[in-house]
């Protein structure tokens, strides 16, 4: 049954990819590319989905449920491409063997320009614009929340923690609801902070607990947990479970953590997030199949404003 569910998910992703269209936008004299899946009814809620390092926007179309969520919910969803398959987030240390975008790349300007374009042409509802990213894209999502909070209704970061560099430059113009989704067995971005066990890992990461406390303080929440709930273990074969952690926050300032117990540097999902799942498992750790990352993030986003 699960095999057929995965095949159905892959077919749906390919169908969604064929419905998406590629385009470019000029940012400071540089032509930047993105792929958009737009609904017939507009203006619509808009989700900016940011890929991880070494990936591109197309990978988020075929390896996550965002296209299916967008089609069902009537969302506009945009998958931008980072230069050199990477994002110029607030960090400067990217790991020993993974280069970042060209010097001087302004990805804050790129993503802000995309949002402004889609609002101006009537595609997006300015009050319901969201940003979500995975890994390097998760760092970029947090960078956007820090630098241009006024553009968004909420943000989400998957398998990423803050660093000193990112935190010291973070001065949001207003509190922004934030969802964090991290694995406790991540070899690249360690849950406990520091440097991961992978050769490709960078050093200097905060722990997830420190990252969570940072966003809680920014949003005026209590720093202690308000509730923890273990979610149903729907896929016993995935070697992991999920715990949802919430805090007492002012209305509309929610900060929520989805802790993937024994989860790796992977996007939780009901279908594989990699072309070669066994290789991904050996390099990045287990992928959780109890929740779907895109579905969970949209359930959070849909509460705001």
């Amino acid at each position: 049954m699960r095999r057929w569910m995965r095949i159905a998910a892959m077919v749906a992703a390919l169908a969604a990819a064929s419905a998406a269209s590629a385009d470019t936008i000029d940012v400071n004299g540089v032509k930047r590319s993105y792929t958009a899946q737009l609904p017939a009814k507009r203006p619509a809620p808009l989700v900016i989905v940011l890929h991880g390092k070494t990936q591109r926007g197309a990978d988020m179309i075929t390896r996550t449920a965002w296209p299916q969520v967008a089609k069902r919910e009537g969302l506009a969803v945009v998958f931008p491409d980072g230069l050199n398959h990477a994002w110029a987030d607030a960090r400067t240390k990217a790991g020993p063997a993974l280069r970042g975008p060209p010097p001087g790349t302004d990805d804050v300007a790129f993503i802000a320009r995309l949002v402004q374009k889609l609002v101006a042409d009537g595609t997006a509802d300015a009050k319901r614009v969201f940003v979500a990213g995975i890994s390097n894209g998760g760092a970029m999502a947090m960078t956007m929340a820090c630098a241009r909070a006024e553009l968004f209704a909420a943000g989400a970061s998957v398998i990423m923690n803050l660093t000193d560099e990112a935190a010291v430059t973070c001065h949001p113009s207003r509190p922004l609801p934030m969802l964090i989704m991290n694995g406790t067995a991540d070899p690249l971005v360690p849950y406990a902070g520091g440097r991961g066990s992978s050769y490709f890992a960078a050093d200097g990461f905060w722990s997830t607990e420190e990252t969570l406390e940072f966003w809680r303080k920014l949003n005026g929440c209590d720093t202690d947990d308000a509730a923890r709930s273990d979610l149903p273990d729907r896929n016993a074969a995935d070697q992991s479970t999920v715990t949802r952690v919430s805090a007492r926050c002012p209305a509309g300032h929610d900060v929520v953590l989805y802790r993937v117990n024994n989860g790796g540097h992977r996007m939780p999902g009901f279908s594989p997030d990699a072309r070669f799942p066994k290789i991904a498992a050996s390099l990045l750790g287990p992928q959780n199949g109890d929740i779907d990352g895109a579905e969970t993030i949209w359930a959070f986003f849909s509460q705001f404003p």
Side-chain angles (χ1 to χ4, degrees):
M1 177 63 72
R2 185 165 295 278
R3 178 171 177 269
W4 286 111
M5 288 175 63
R6 289 180 174 179
I7 293 173
M10 291 173 65
V11 170
L14 291 172
S18 65
S21 59
D23 205 346
T24 61
I25 188 172
D26 183 271
V27 181
N28 302 327
V30 179
K31 186 174 288 188
R32 301 299 304 269
S33 61
Y34 65 94
T35 303
Q37 181 180 322
L38 307 178
K41 186 178 179 180
R42 308 176 194 177
L46 167 65
V47 183
I48 305 290
V49 178
L50 304 175
H51 62 74
K53 186 168 285 187
T54 76
Q55 296 181 318
R56 55 182 181 154
D59 292 312
M60 297 294 96
I61 298 175
T62 57
R63 296 176 186 174
T64 75
W66 277 115
Q68 298 93 293
V69 173
K71 183 176 181 180
R72 185 188 70 231
E73 301 292 336
L75 312 177
V77 61
V78 174
F79 306 91
D81 298 311
L83 298 178
N84 292 345
H85 306 287
W87 298 108
D89 60 64
R91 302 168 301 146
T92 59
K93 299 174 183 177
L98 297 177
R99 65 174 180 163
T105 298
D106 190 346
D107 280 326
V108 171
F110 172 33
I111 296 165
R113 188 76 56 83
L114 265 180
V115 171
Q116 291 160 352
K117 174 185 183 296
L118 293 166
V119 169
D121 69 14
T123 297
D125 177 354
K127 294 182 179 180
R128 302 197 73 196
V129 179
F130 309 92
V131 61
I134 179 170
S135 191
N136 179 206
M140 193 67 221
M142 288 194 283
T143 297
M144 293 306 300
C146 294
R148 299 300 306 269
E150 74 280 2
L151 294 176
F152 303 104
S157 172
V158 181
I159 53 176
M160 180 51 61
N161 285 323
L162 287 168
T163 65
D164 286 341
E165 289 177 295
V168 76
T169 59
C170 186
H171 305 288
S173 57
R174 63 182 180 84
L176 195 71
M178 182 64 64
L179 179 148
I180 297 168
M181 186 180 292
N182 286 347
T184 64
D186 190 327
L188 283 174
V189 181
Y191 192 89
R195 190 184 191 279
S197 59
S198 169
Y199 167 78
F200 299 105
D203 200 358
F205 284 109
W206 286 15
S207 70
T208 296
E209 296 297 334
E210 291 171 314
T211 300
L212 185 64
E213 182 178 356
F214 179 87
W215 288 108
R216 286 175 174 176
K217 287 181 176 179
L218 279 182
N219 283 16
C221 308
D222 290 350
T223 55
D224 295 332
D225 298 344
R228 292 190 179 205
S229 56
D230 293 327
L231 304 187
D233 187 7
R234 301 183 186 281
N235 185 349
D238 66 5
Q239 307 174 52
S240 61
T241 59
V242 180
T243 301
R244 185 183 187 276
V245 183
S246 61
R248 293 182 184 86
C249 299
H253 295 187
D254 305 49
V255 178
V256 174
L257 167 67
Y258 283 82
R259 188 184 69 207
V260 185
N261 307 302
N262 199 43
H265 195 75
R266 313 284 295 277
M267 174 80 152
F270 300 142
S271 58
D273 64 343
R275 184 177 179 183
F276 302 105
K278 290 184 179 179
I279 295 175
S282 66
L283 294 176
L284 302 174
Q287 180 194 14
N288 180 267
D290 300 322
I291 63 172
D292 183 89
E295 295 280 4
T296 302
I297 292 169
W298 175 246
F300 178 75
F301 283 172
S302 65
Q303 304 172 78
F304 310 104

